[in-house]
Amino acid sequence: MKSRREFIKIGTVGGVALLSANSCAADQTPEEANVPVDFEPSQPITKPIVVSTWNHGLDANKAAWTVLEAGGTALDAVEKGVRVTESDPENTSVGLGGLPDRDGNVTLDACIMDHHSNCGAVAYLQHIENPISVARKVMEDTPHVLLAGDGALEFALDKGFKKTNLLTAKSKEAWENWLKESEYQPQINSENHDTIGMLALDEEGNLAGACTTSGMAYKLHGRVGDSPIIGAGLFVDNEVGAACATGVGEAVIRTAGSAIVVELMRHGKTPQEACEEAVARIISKHKDLTNMQVGFIALDKNGNVGCHSVYAGFNIALRDKNHEEMVDAKYEKEW
Ligand code: SD4
């Protein structure tokens, strides 16, 4: 099978090549581009491993890796990893500095799931920098899975989380510029960074995942996407594998995206094939695919990885003990 990726060496980490992939399909016919090809990392992948969405995944993976390389759990790794992105004020699609809804409120969605199928989530949470850690508290300290809005905020404050102004000067300025036209449309692939979804497989062979976002920029007030919805933005089944999604959350919810990816793996698809079929499902269920970017990542029990998206531009960050790299996902459509 023909490789879709061309790898470029961009540096070294501890004597090991640090690699970046660039996209892929330029030398191929559309027919070739539709042939499923398994994910091809630049080097063989070994357990433990962490994978996450978009360029910000590299820094998040570094933090997750400190847990995994010390023999820690996948659950601790994914929480620690995505907190980095949540706390980065420069990142305008997750946590602190996230772009607000159309009324100027930064509202956050997050969920987390472990190898026992325990899960916790928060939706429409305001004023808290690290919603993923609140989601973990929901999972561990309550009989519930999902807390939303004021109740989620009250719960977070009770648990000792501090109130923070999440609207940075940069995001406020972007919102004020948007207000001049106030054209309501979901914005995706903005500056090539978006929701962070992270999946990890630890030394013990256990899987966990986390997903966190400020959602669509300038969304309707009260809108919640797929990212806090278990089975949509994230799903983990320790017998099989894990998957997470990024992109237009409505499309992911309609198709139960991440749960479908895991079920497809259960029925024998590779992670790559499962992501491709979930993308095909999204395409077949939507007549109008304008701006309908969705990307999936999957990681199976053996550490095999897959990723795929509707449109070009989605990439994932991968780290194991031998290397770290960015890989451009294959896709179905040019913009
Ligand atoms: C949402 N899925 O709120 C998120 C946004 C996202 O890449 O992932 N953007 O719909």
Side-chain angles (χ1 to χ4, degrees):
M1 266 179 206
K2 199 166 168 185
S3 168
R4 291 174 188 280
R5 296 184 178 78
E6 193 182 320
F7 291 94
I8 303 167
K9 199 179 212 180
I10 57 170
T12 61
V13 175
V16 177
L18 174 65
L19 300 166
S20 155
N22 70 4
S23 187
C24 49
D27 60 338
Q28 294 180 320
T29 65
E31 288 73 27
E32 284 178 303
N34 284 327
V35 177
V37 173
D38 271 4
F39 182 91
E40 296 164 86
S42 62
Q43 302 178 25
I45 296 172
T46 58
K47 187 178 76 179
I49 175 180
V50 56
V51 284
S52 46
T53 54
W54 305 110
N55 292 334
H56 50 209
L58 272 183
D59 283 344
N61 285 358
K62 276 190 192 12
W65 187 253
T66 62
V67 176
L68 293 173
E69 78 174 335
T73 64
L75 181 66
D76 287 342
V78 295
E79 181 190 7
K80 186 163 181 178
V82 303
R83 281 175 61 99
V84 169
T85 322
E86 288 179 334
S87 294
D88 177 359
E90 292 305 311
N91 185 308
T92 56
S93 47
V94 181
L96 176 66
L99 289 167
D101 65 18
R102 67 179 190 175
D103 301 327
N105 310 291
V106 182
T107 69
L108 305 178
D109 298 335
C111 72
I112 192 161
M113 190 161 187
D114 75 7
H115 63 288
H116 294 302
S117 298
N118 294 315
C119 45
V122 287
Y124 183 70
L125 175 62
Q126 298 184 66
H127 315 302
I128 300 290
E129 184 172 319
N130 294 116
I132 199 66
S133 296
V134 184
R136 183 164 177 179
K137 290 277 182 215
V138 173
M139 173 173 99
E140 291 179 341
D141 295 359
T142 81
H144 307 304
V145 167
L146 172 61
L147 294 183
D150 289 348
L153 176 60
E154 255 171 50
F155 172 77
L157 297 175
D158 273 358
K159 290 288 168 188
F161 290 84
K162 298 278 167 278
K163 250 185 157 173
T164 309
N165 174 18
L166 300 174
L167 188 64
T168 56
K170 179 178 164 183
S171 288
K172 187 161 184 271
E173 191 184 338
W175 170 61
E176 283 165 352
N177 282 334
W178 174 82
L179 275 180
K180 289 176 195 156
E181 302 277 324
S182 295
E183 189 193 343
Y184 182 68
Q185 59 177 31
Q187 295 198 0
I188 47 176
N189 265 9
S190 61
E191 301 166 43
N192 200 20
H193 54 69
D194 252 289
T195 295
I196 183 154
M198 177 180 279
L199 309 173
L201 177 67
D202 63 28
E203 197 67 54
E204 297 287 310
N206 289 323
L207 290 157
C211 186
T212 176
T213 191
S214 51
M216 293 286 174
Y218 319 127
K219 60 198 173 187
L220 282 175
H221 185 59
R223 181 265 186 190
V224 170
D226 60 317
S227 304
I229 309 296
I230 296 294
L234 174 72
F235 197 65
V236 177
D237 184 327
N238 209 47
E239 290 169 14
V240 179
C244 62
T246 179
V248 179
E250 286 75 3
V252 179
I253 294 172
R254 278 182 206 114
T255 54
S258 294
I260 287 294
V261 172
V262 172
E263 280 312 292
L264 289 165
M265 291 194 284
R266 187 193 307 282
H267 292 285
K269 300 277 186 202
T270 65
Q272 182 62 35
E273 289 167 347
C275 290
E276 292 184 8
E277 192 163 330
V279 165
R281 192 81 55 92
I282 282 181
I283 291 173
S284 75
K285 296 287 179 195
H286 292 89
K287 284 200 183 89
D288 182 4
L289 287 166
T290 313
N291 285 329
M292 191 67 81
Q293 173 66 313
V294 171
F296 290 104
I297 303 185
L299 172 63
D300 75 11
K301 206 44 200 158
N302 300 317
N304 299 305
V305 177
C307 57
H308 202 63
S309 56
V310 176
Y311 286 100
F314 176 43
N315 60 359
I316 73 166
L318 179 156
R319 177 144 194 173
D320 72 356
K321 72 169 171 286
N322 298 320
H323 70 305
E324 57 182 347
E325 65 183 317
M326 292 300 306
V327 179
D328 283 357
K330 286 195 298 124
Y331 52 85
E332 296 300 322
K333 295 183 179 298
E334 296 287 349
W335 284 100

